[in-house]
Amino acid sequence: MKALHFGAGNIGRGFIGKILHDNGYSVTFADIDAEIIDALNEDGKYTVHIAEEDGETFEVTNVAGVNTITDDDALKTAILEADLITTAVGVNILPVIAKSIAPNLAGRGNSPLNIIACENAILATDTLKAEILKHTDELDGIGFPNSAVDRIVPIQKNDNLLDVKVEPFYEWVIEKARWIGDARLDGVTYVENLIPFIERKLFTVNTGHAAIAYYGKTLGFETVSEAMTNEKVEAFLKDVLNETMLYLTSNYDFTEAQQLSYIEKIIARFKNPHLSDDLDRVGRGVMRKLSAGDRIMKPLIYLEQNNLSCNALTELAAYALEFNNPDDPEVKERDEQIAQLGMQEFLTSHSHLNDGLIQKIKEYL
């Protein structure tokens, strides 16, 4: 079986690529990074290191690379021969990927093909499918299941360019009904309704990461592991996640006991010293993280509207508004909009907050 994966970065190689390899797929990675693509073609393998004390190592073999800028013919062949196409490129790049995939689907024949966007976004495969449909309607025999993915892959520098360090925990959840064919993946959970799992991850892992980054920066910490040694950071993190738990248990079938257990696992992951990540990197993309449907504002708006406790999320929103990373272009964009519109109008238009909630946030600024 053959898989084509768009995105040869650490998530692609260390998470998605490894699972596909473990399921017997030969994996071709498509990317614009010529150095990584050349190394994949030269070595044909790489090693995944588990980030824990005496962590195991796993060799991923039977891999290759295709340069999406220069290798049009090789990319076309990889698409035509693929039994599975996956992505881990960032949701904003999906329209570009769609332009590469769409023209080559008509020549595939009738063999089953699943296309899955493994992105940190809600229903990303739907986004990719919509973009593909702008260029072709030849989608017979193709499944477009949405998925939710979760594995922390920190910034790292390894002796071998291709090697990747990843945390022990991972979760890949896929929509069962939209999967085409009988050849399902081991190591993956198939569910009828994906939304609860997407939002559980978004409002626990991602909201939690944001809380550590934005509050940790105010205390002068530089990395997640440094911040998580501080009692104030851990206490604030727990307060935030107890509030997002109210959102999750109110909207889905997760019980409080289930969510508390999940939170405990997530905090243990954040404390893993072998996974430490830079707070500036974790906090980047601040405009997206302040948007109405994302990790801070969506549960905050819900809790406020339903008269549920939301003090910690309100405080977190204030820290996000004060987050300063000069290397994040969204920090500049945020500051320019606030300077132009004022804080009140910015939070009204960008975050869709009401006046009462805006006033509560301002009290923390």
Side-chain angles (χ1 to χ4, degrees), residues 300-301 304 310 314 353-361:
L300 174 56
I301 292 169
E304 193 269 343
C310 59
T314 304
L353 304 187
N354 62 35
D355 290 346
L357 200 43
I358 293 172
Q359 184 57 42
K360 291 177 183 177
I361 290 173

Side-chain angles (χ1 to χ4, degrees), residues 11 26 64 82 88 91 107 118 128-129 141 165 238 246 275 293 296-297:
I11 287 288
S26 63
V91 69
C118 306
L128 178 57
K129 181 179 180 180
K165 180 185 290 186
K238 289 179 178 178
L246 292 175
L275 280 178
I296 300 172
M297 296 305 185

Side-chain angles (χ1 to χ4, degrees), residues 13-285:
R13 300 195 314 279
F15 182 10
I16 307 302
K18 182 184 182 301
I19 290 181
L20 298 180
H21 166 267
D22 292 347
N23 277 271
Y25 284 85
S26 63
V27 184
T28 297
F29 291 92
D31 205 289
I32 63 172
D33 190 320
E35 186 180 13
I36 289 180
I37 294 304
D38 290 345
L40 285 165
N41 287 324
E42 182 176 343
D43 297 352
K45 63 180 180 180
Y46 59 88
T47 302
V48 174
H49 303 266
I50 304 302
E52 61 183 351
E53 195 69 30
D54 300 320
E56 292 184 89
T57 60
F58 300 91
E59 190 172 72
V60 177
T61 58
N62 202 15
V63 298
V66 56
N67 190 311
T68 55
I69 295 177
T70 61
D71 297 339
D72 287 343
D73 290 341
L75 181 59
K76 177 179 179 179
T77 299
I79 294 170
L80 290 172
E81 295 180 351
D83 301 292
L84 177 63
I85 296 176
T86 53
T87 79
V89 295
V91 69
N92 293 337
I93 306 300
L94 293 180
V96 179
I97 301 300
K99 291 179 182 179
S100 297
I101 295 173
N104 299 302
L105 294 177
R108 289 193 63 262
N110 296 320
S111 58
L113 170 66
N114 288 286
I115 299 178
I116 311 174
C118 306
E119 308 294 344
N120 189 22
I122 295 175
L123 304 180
T125 302
D126 284 353
T127 300
L128 178 57
K129 181 179 180 180
E131 292 296 329
I132 289 174
L133 282 168
K134 292 179 180 179
H135 307 285
T136 183
D137 57 2
E138 297 286 343
L139 301 185
D140 291 343
I142 301 176
F144 286 90
N146 287 291
S147 77
V149 292
D150 184 10
R151 190 169 213 174
I152 298 173
V153 181
I155 289 290
Q156 56 198 270
K157 187 172 181 61
N158 301 303
D159 293 336
N160 186 309
L161 173 67
L162 297 178
D163 289 357
V164 189
K165 180 185 290 186
V166 298
E167 69 166 325
F169 177 93
Y170 73 86
E171 185 176 60
W172 187 2
V173 185
I174 295 177
E175 281 182 312
K176 182 189 299 184
R178 297 193 186 187
W179 180 272
I180 297 291
D182 299 323
R184 291 186 177 176
L185 299 169
D186 291 330
V188 168
T189 301
Y190 290 84
V191 298
E192 297 293 345
N193 183 7
L194 189 67
I195 295 297
F197 295 90
I198 292 175
E199 293 217 324
R200 183 183 67 167
K201 188 259 182 178
L202 180 63
F203 298 138
T204 311
V205 179
N206 298 109
T207 308
H209 248 156
I212 297 167
Y214 296 143
Y215 183 47
K217 283 280 288 185
T218 71
L219 298 179
F221 295 110
E222 295 184 355
T223 68
V224 171
S225 63
E226 289 175 358
M228 286 303 293
T229 64
N230 183 272
E231 292 181 357
K232 291 182 178 179
V233 174
E234 184 171 350
F236 179 65
L237 172 63
K238 289 179 178 178
D239 288 343
V240 168
L241 297 186
N242 282 336
E243 289 181 2
T244 60
M245 176 174 64
L246 292 175
Y247 171 91
L248 292 166
T249 55
S250 297
N251 286 280
Y252 303 114
D253 291 335
F254 302 120
T255 66
E256 181 175 326
Q258 288 173 326
Q259 186 60 16
L260 285 171
S261 176
Y262 185 66
I263 288 172
E264 188 176 328
K265 290 179 182 178
I266 300 310
I267 291 177
R269 294 165 66 192
F270 292 154
K271 287 184 174 181
N272 185 342
H274 303 280
L275 280 178
S276 187
D277 211 344
D278 183 85
L279 294 185
D280 278 335
R281 192 185 86 88
V282 174
R284 70 186 179 186

